[in-house]
Amino acid sequence: MSGKLYLCATPIGNLEDMTFRVVRTLKEVDLIAAEDTRNSIKLLNHFEIKTPMTSYHEYNKIDKGHYLVEQLLEGKNIALVTDAGTPGISDPGEELVAMCYEAGIEVTSLPGPAACITALTLSGLSTRRFAFEAFLPSDKKEKKKILEELKTETRTMIMYEAPHRLLRTLEELFETLGERRLTVCRELTKKHETAFVTTISEALKWYGEHEPKGECVLVIEGKSRKEMEEEAQKKWEEMPLEEHLEHYMQQGNDKKEAMKKVAKDRGISKRDVYQALLKKE
């Protein structure tokens, strides 16, 4: 009978956020797979956990992943921990989970801290719908494509950034998204936790004069649907009325239905469309 993989969330700063369930599980499993054993040993020592550890990270995830699956198939229970937060979020844990499911191994997740959710709830921005982007890719072309996609994102966006890249990222966000409300979260759950509620342009100015310190979570306002509707309406208004009408008639609509669609696009009444067309005849 195979063992079980336990995804164990660990504190992102404050050790008091460690759950009783995670402590118990880390003590009971046969092996702990850690992103950085040198970092995790401090956590284990604090909670007097003596379970053996092995490394599992981005650079050994294939070979070590196969090894961990073999151990699980032999009946061992394994806990996966990341440096901080929930395994599988912006780390190779997701690939180990996929490998386990392919091998028919049971997986469970022990909930706990996650920097993205902590920052979102702290941001003061809408939490109903959100998109998590983690770290933007280092490849310039890929990054540009993602930023272009985010231009029309209506959900609140969350991304991670290192302090030495923060200013450049803010510049790219401003160039692509324009002005948006923004909350920059730092030192989450720690003594000097800060949530800088600002805008992209104001953050650019501030961090241009003050050197960023510590890992950051950026929570960015999504584009409003009203703004998108206004932009679409403006685009249609630039097109001659007759051309706009012809656009819909070529799609198989009769003149009455085409006028109805034109009126909706332009935010005016069908009667206004009819009167304007009469004047042009």
Side-chain angles (χ1 to χ4, degrees):
M1 190 173 178
S2 63
K4 184 188 290 189
L5 177 67
Y6 295 84
L7 307 177
C8 295
T10 55
I12 58 177
N14 193 320
L15 290 179
E16 292 181 3
D17 292 333
M18 188 80 155
T19 70
F20 291 116
R21 185 182 175 203
V22 168
V23 171
R24 176 180 57 77
T25 300
L26 292 178
K27 287 181 177 180
E28 292 178 351
V29 293
D30 300 295
L31 182 65
I32 297 171
E35 187 175 9
D36 187 337
T37 55
R38 295 166 301 178
N39 182 64
S40 293
I41 191 64
K42 300 171 187 175
L43 181 74
L44 299 192
N45 287 341
H46 181 83
F47 291 101
E48 299 180 349
I49 298 167
K50 308 297 183 182
T51 308
M53 267 197 303
T54 187
S55 65
Y56 174 77
H57 49 70
E58 184 64 31
Y59 304 104
N60 72 354
K61 63 185 179 182
I62 303 301
D63 292 339
K64 185 55 69 76
H66 288 300
Y67 167 77
L68 293 173
V69 168
E70 288 172 6
Q71 295 297 302
L72 287 157
L73 288 172
E74 288 177 8
K76 290 185 178 178
N77 291 317
I78 297 176
L80 178 67
V81 297
T82 183
D83 281 349
T86 301
I89 301 294
S90 197
D91 68 46
E94 62 177 312
E95 297 184 39
L96 180 58
V97 171
M99 291 173 72
C100 284
Y101 281 133
E102 286 175 13
I105 295 165
E106 187 178 353
V107 180
T108 188
S109 182
L110 282 59
C116 54
I117 299 300
T118 305
L120 175 64
T121 56
L122 194 61
S123 69
L125 296 173
S126 174
T127 61
R128 192 177 74 84
R129 299 171 64 249
F130 59 92
F132 177 58
E133 282 296 329
F135 288 95
L136 289 171
S138 55
D139 181 80
K140 290 183 179 179
K141 287 185 178 179
E142 189 180 354
K143 185 197 292 185
K144 188 175 181 181
K145 285 181 181 178
I146 288 176
L147 288 172
E148 282 297 318
E149 289 174 4
L150 294 179
K151 280 176 73 172
T152 54
E153 178 59 71
T154 58
R155 295 170 294 180
T156 300
M157 296 164 278
I158 310 166
M159 58 182 66
Y160 295 155
E161 194 49 279
H164 65 280
R165 290 196 301 263
L166 179 62
L167 198 59
R168 179 57 189 156
T169 296
L170 288 172
E171 288 172 352
E172 290 170 335
L173 288 171
F174 190 69
E175 287 168 9
T176 311
L177 308 182
E179 187 67 296
R180 300 283 181 89
R181 289 191 295 161
L182 163 75
T183 301
V184 182
C185 297
R186 294 177 51 258
E187 299 291 292
L188 288 171
T189 77
K190 300 177 184 177
K191 184 178 180 180
H192 300 293
E193 173 182 277
T194 58
F196 182 20
V197 179
T198 181
T199 62
I200 297 178
S201 64
E202 288 173 353
L204 260 174
K205 184 179 179 182
W206 173 263
Y207 289 112
E209 299 170 356
H210 303 81
E211 184 183 357
K213 294 180 181 179
E215 295 291 322
C216 299
V217 184
L218 308 180
V219 187
I220 308 154
E221 177 184 34
K223 190 164 190 172
S224 75
R225 293 188 182 279
K226 184 180 178 182
E227 186 181 351
M228 290 177 71
E229 288 168 3
E230 288 173 351
E231 286 180 0
Q233 186 177 316
K234 188 176 180 182
K235 188 177 178 182
W236 284 118
E237 286 171 354
E238 292 170 358
M239 180 186 290
L241 200 61
E242 300 93 330
E243 191 177 324
H244 195 169
L245 185 70
E246 186 62 25
H247 166 76
Y248 283 119
M249 291 183 72
Q250 286 180 353
Q251 292 179 3
N253 295 284
D254 60 30
K255 193 170 184 179
K256 185 179 179 181
E257 184 61 28
M259 287 174 64
K260 186 178 177 182
K261 290 179 180 291
V262 168
K264 184 179 179 182
D265 288 343
R266 292 176 177 253
I268 57 179
S269 70
K270 193 167 68 172
R271 180 181 175 82
D272 289 336
V273 175
Y274 179 72
Q275 293 292 342
L277 289 171
L278 272 181
K279 289 178 183 178
K280 291 179 180 288
E281 288 179 356

